[in-house]
């Protein structure tokens, strides 16, 4: 399964590899904003496996593991840069050694510095999709950001840009930029955003889907007895926006909903994970889910979803009816 990245002419796989988890630990005021400890050898094997299985779109951020995710990707893509489409992000200020988030900066000078730092870690001299990683930044201040990104396109340092946001007004402002190619936003069975999907379709943008597996809850691996580690963003200190896990445990409400639709998602030989991804593809031709991973096994399961394709319309209708009740 292949798609076009926005209207750029760049061909990408119908799904990407979400590279937040492989960044490992990171913190903000002592609270975890990463997915806990990570094994770099497992991450490298997973990335290599994904590329071998036809997933050429990699989504990361300079803040994932305070640069660690980008470094791991840089190791893997060296010598095969032309076979990979890279999306990374900017906007966060962090201490790379302490792996600590310090705040935000959207000034032109900082955007340029962030880009150079990301390219160094990724061992590349250009970025395919550069995403603004400050979802609630004021619209009235965003022209300077967009203009800076347009300048970087002209300079050949980035090929396209977008905004990682769940807010329609922010997305539409960037969508009007000549080289905007994508909006990255939350999209999964439990957190649908039909208005954002319509906006992406209307402007010819890719809808890059964060949390397509609901931070893991849609994989089926968690039960009401599961307890996440303290250094995991889903752990006991999870942020207020984390609806899928609370106090380190998966949401019982979502677990019940998942059980009610399990049979439909696992039809036609799919796993739960593959069914959740199939649901996203059925929502819109613009969607590009980016499920995260830690291991080669997870990559193989994710990639296997492309062999099945989207759910059928009648399956989508049945899921909608079940979740309405």
């Amino acid at each position: 399964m292949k798609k076009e990245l926005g209207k750029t002419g760049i061909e990408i796989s119908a799904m990407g590899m979400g590279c937040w988890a492989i960044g490992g630990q990171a913190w903000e005021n002592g609270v975890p904003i990463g997915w806990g400890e990570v094994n770099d050898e497992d991450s490298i094997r997973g990335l290599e496996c994904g590329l071998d299985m036809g997933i050429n779109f990699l989504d990361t951020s300079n803040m994932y593991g305070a640069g660690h995710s980008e470094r791991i990707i840089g190791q893997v893509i060296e010598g095969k840069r032309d076979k990979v489409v890279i999306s990374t992000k900017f906007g966060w200020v962090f201490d790379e050694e302490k792996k600590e988030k310090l705040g935000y900066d959207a000034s032109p000078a900082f955007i340029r510095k962030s880009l150079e730092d990301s390219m160094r870690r990724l061992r590349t001299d250009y970025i395919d999709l550069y995403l603004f990683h400050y979802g609630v930044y004021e619209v009235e201040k965003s022209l300077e950001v967009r203009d800076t990104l347009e300048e970087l396109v002209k300079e050949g340092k980035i090929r396209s840009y977008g905004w990682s946001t769940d807010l329609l007004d922010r997305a539409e402002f960037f969508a009007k930029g000549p080289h905007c190619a994508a909006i990255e936003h939350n999209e999964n069975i439990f957190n649908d955003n039909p208005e954002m999907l319509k906006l992406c379709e209307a402007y010819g943008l890719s809808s890059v889907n964060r949390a397509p597996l609901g931070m893991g809850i849609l994989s089926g691996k968690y039960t009401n007895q599961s307890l996440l580690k303290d250094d995991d963003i889903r752990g006991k200190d999870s942020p207020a926006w984390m609806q899928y896990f609370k106090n380190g445990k998966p949401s019982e409400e979502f677990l019940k909903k998942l059980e009610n639709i399990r049979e439909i998602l696992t039809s036609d030989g799919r796993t739960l994970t593959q069914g959740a991804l199939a649901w996203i593809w059925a929502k819109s031709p613009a969607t590009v889910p980016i499920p995260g991973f830690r291991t080669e096994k997870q990559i193989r399961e994710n990639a296997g979803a492309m062999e099945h394709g989207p759910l059928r319309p009648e399956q989508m209708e049945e899921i909608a009816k079940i979740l309405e009740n």
Side-chain angles (χ1 to χ4, degrees), residues 292-304:
F293 72 98
R294 291 176 187 266
T295 65
E296 179 182 342
K297 181 181 178 182
Q298 290 171 322
I299 284 289
R300 288 189 179 279
E301 183 177 12
N302 294 346

Side-chain angles (χ1 to χ4, degrees), residues 57-107:
F57 182 54
L58 278 61
D59 179 89
T60 186
S61 170
N62 61 352
M63 186 53 210
Y64 295 164
H68 189 66
S69 175
E70 290 182 327
R71 284 200 195 86
I72 294 299
I73 293 169
Q75 290 182 45
V76 172
I77 67 169
E78 194 166 27
K80 43 191 161 188
R81 176 66 181 91
D82 61 333
K83 295 178 173 60
V84 180
V85 179
I86 296 176
S87 167
T88 193
K89 308 180 187 74
F90 67 94
W92 293 28
V93 182
F94 57 92
D95 185 314
E96 203 163 337
E97 288 187 9
K98 295 180 180 178
K99 295 185 180 294
E100 181 81 15
K101 176 185 173 184
L102 304 175
Y104 296 97
D105 191 334
S107 66

Side-chain angles (χ1 to χ4, degrees), residues 1 27 44 62 73-74 81 95 113 125 153 161-162 170 179 189 193 232 234 250 257 269 280 284 306 311 321:
M1 291 175 66
W27 313 88
I44 290 169
N62 61 352
I73 293 169
R81 176 66 181 91
D95 185 314
K113 180 181 184 304
D125 57 1
V153 172
Y161 61 83
R170 272 69 168 180
H179 292 92
I189 293 172
N193 195 339
D232 192 313
R234 302 167 297 173
K257 287 183 177 181
I280 289 178
S284 166
M306 293 192 291
L311 292 178
K321 287 178 184 177

Side-chain angles (χ1 to χ4, degrees), residues 90 108 111-113 115-116 119 126-127 130 145-161:
F90 67 94
I111 294 172
R112 288 180 172 276
K113 180 181 184 304
L115 177 60
E116 295 297 330
M119 290 193 295
Y126 69 95
I127 299 297
Y130 204 34
V145 177
R146 198 178 73 187
D147 284 349
T148 302
L149 294 170
E150 287 289 341
E151 290 171 9
L152 292 170
V153 172
K154 290 177 184 176
E155 294 166 20
K157 293 185 176 180
I158 66 174
R159 299 174 76 185
S160 65
Y161 61 83

Side-chain angles (χ1 to χ4, degrees), residues 209-229:
N209 310 126
R210 279 190 264 108
L213 301 178
M215 307 289 281
I217 199 168
L218 281 162
S219 70
K221 68 182 286 188
Y222 298 105
T223 70
N224 55 13
Q225 300 301 312
S226 299
L227 187 64
L228 280 296
K229 293 183 178 179

Side-chain angles (χ1 to χ4, degrees), residues 17-25 33-40 43 59-60 64-65 68-69 232-234 291-295 298:
M17 288 186 269
C19 300
W20 182 8
I22 66 171
Q25 295 176 321
I33 53 173
W35 291 59
E37 290 186 18
V38 67
N39 183 309
D40 290 344
S43 302
D59 179 89
T60 186
Y64 295 164
H68 189 66
S69 175
D232 192 313
I233 192 170
R234 302 167 297 173
F293 72 98
R294 291 176 187 266
T295 65
Q298 290 171 322

